[in-house]
Amino acid sequence: MKVTEMIEKTGFKTVYLGEDREVAGVYCGDLLSWVMGKGQPEQAWITVQSHLNVIAVAVLREFSCIVLAEQAEFPEEVIERAKNEGLTLLYSDLPVYETAVRLYEAGV
Amino acid sequence: MSVIYEKIYNVERDDYANAGLVSSLIKQSLRTIGISPAVSRRVAVAVYEAEINMIIHAYGGTITLQISDDGMIRLIAKDKGPGIPDIEKALTPGFSTASKKAMELGFGAGMGLPNIKRNADEFSIESSPAGTTLDLKFQERE
Ligand SMILES: Nc1ncnc2c1ncn2[C@@H]1O[C@H](COP(=O)(O)OP(=O)(O)OP(=O)(O)O)[C@@H](O)[C@H]1O
Ligand SMILES: [Mg+2]
């Protein structure tokens, strides 16, 4: 499934739409080195961390997008960095677990 | 074997905003000169973790990238202190002395050095109060 199709099916709000990458699976986590060690390419990453370093981690892990859960918000500088990287940023107003369930139900 | 490419990058203390920058620059250079995605990725992860450690635990330093004519990639991450009192402890997965501020930002899982070790083909670390030096080597794996 592509990122755009995933957005359509989940209803997550688009903060920035980057490259329409393939989405294969989901990773949840807020401890950055843990995510760096365990995340896999093409996963959608659900986190509550919204500072600049999440962009670096997502780019290095080659995640397909970041889904920011729990009504957290991305600062402007983070959105700018994501634009430079073509990395899609999404908002979910649900908690992490329900956000993951939503993705599961969408077929990710 | 001789070094055919060398570049030195500066990493500033407490510069959270640019953390990850050196890593992405190095990854781009490696991809441009034709190093495989698999090796570039391992190098980039190691640089990222080394870079963050220099920013949050040390007083900044430099990361040197060297490439030899036999394809060997070497990274030397050298900081200006305060050093690691117990290296064995620091290498234990889960061990961290990260500050409360760093923890809130998602650092401090104690997985950085283990991630570096796992991604590098050769790993050595030396530390004194004058600074910590990581010396890492990477090669194409079969
Ligand atoms: N360059 C350094 N200078 C001084 N101390 C360091 C340095 N790198 C690591 N350490 C020490 O070693 C510990 C373990 O480092 P490691 O990178 O594995 O975990 P962390 O940085 O605490 O957390 P994480 O990397 O998971 O965010 C650190 O908490 C710190 O005490
Ligand atoms: Mg670390």
Side-chain angles (χ1 to χ4, degrees):
Chain A
M1 176 182 315
K2 295 282 183 192
V3 166
T4 43
E5 188 185 345
M6 186 199 91
I7 295 171
E8 213 169 283
K9 288 189 171 161
T10 56
F12 295 151
K13 183 168 164 263
T14 306
V15 182
Y16 166 68
L17 183 62
E19 293 161 20
D20 196 10
R21 297 180 186 152
E22 191 64 31
V23 188
V26 178
Y27 194 85
C28 305
D30 306 313
L31 288 169
L32 303 183
S33 295
W34 196 272
V35 176
M36 191 63 112
K38 307 271 176 162
Q40 295 299 320
E42 298 193 340
Q43 288 176 328
W45 176 24
I46 305 174
T47 185
V48 299
Q49 296 288 357
S50 61
H51 56 93
L52 271 174
N53 287 97
V54 300
I55 305 297
V57 172
V59 168
L60 281 174
R61 281 293 81 191
E62 298 168 26
F63 288 138
S64 50
C65 60
I66 301 178
V67 184
L68 190 63
E70 308 266 9
Q71 292 178 308
E73 279 184 41
F74 288 113
E76 197 52 46
E77 52 175 6
V78 176
I79 300 172
E80 282 311 308
R81 188 74 64 89
K83 286 181 182 168
N84 291 337
E85 301 286 354
L87 177 72
T88 299
L89 300 181
L90 305 171
Y91 282 152
S92 158
D93 48 17
L94 303 168
V96 171
Y97 174 72
E98 282 83 353
T99 301
V101 169
R102 180 75 63 90
L103 281 163
Y104 176 75
E105 287 171 349
V108 176
Chain B
M1 181 192 87
S2 60
V3 174
I4 52 174
Y5 179 91
E6 178 175 278
K7 187 153 175 147
I8 301 173
Y9 300 85
N10 282 312
V11 179
E12 303 296 332
R13 172 185 197 175
D14 283 331
D15 189 7
Y16 284 84
N18 282 312
L21 187 68
V22 176
S23 162
S24 73
L25 290 173
I26 287 182
K27 191 181 186 191
Q28 273 169 25
S29 311
L30 295 180
R31 294 295 296 124
T32 311
I33 61 173
I35 305 291
S36 75
V39 176
S40 306
R41 207 176 286 139
R42 286 195 285 121
V43 174
V45 169
V47 176
Y48 173 82
E49 296 288 4
E51 201 181 341
I52 299 282
N53 281 352
M54 280 178 159
I55 291 168
I56 70 176
H57 304 299
Y59 311 140
T62 57
I63 293 179
T64 304
L65 168 69
Q66 289 180 348
I67 302 172
S68 307
D69 53 3
D70 63 354
M72 156 101 79
I73 297 161
R74 184 174 178 200
L75 281 175
I76 304 151
K78 189 176 168 58
D79 69 49
K80 304 175 199 160
I84 301 176
D86 185 339
I87 290 179
E88 200 180 318
K89 229 181 189 175
L91 288 171
T92 309
F95 176 83
S96 176
T97 61
S99 66
K100 193 159 174 287
K101 181 189 172 215
M103 299 273 263
E104 278 166 8
L105 294 170
F107 303 111
M111 294 303 292
L113 289 171
N115 278 351
I116 295 174
K117 203 171 174 186
R118 200 186 46 200
N119 279 283
D121 296 310
E122 283 180 48
F123 173 96
S124 87
I125 180 166
E126 273 174 23
S127 194
S128 77
T132 300
T133 303
L134 283 174
D135 192 340
L136 312 171
K137 288 175 185 161
F138 302 80
Q139 258 164 337
E140 299 287 346
R141 288 176 182 169
E142 292 311 314

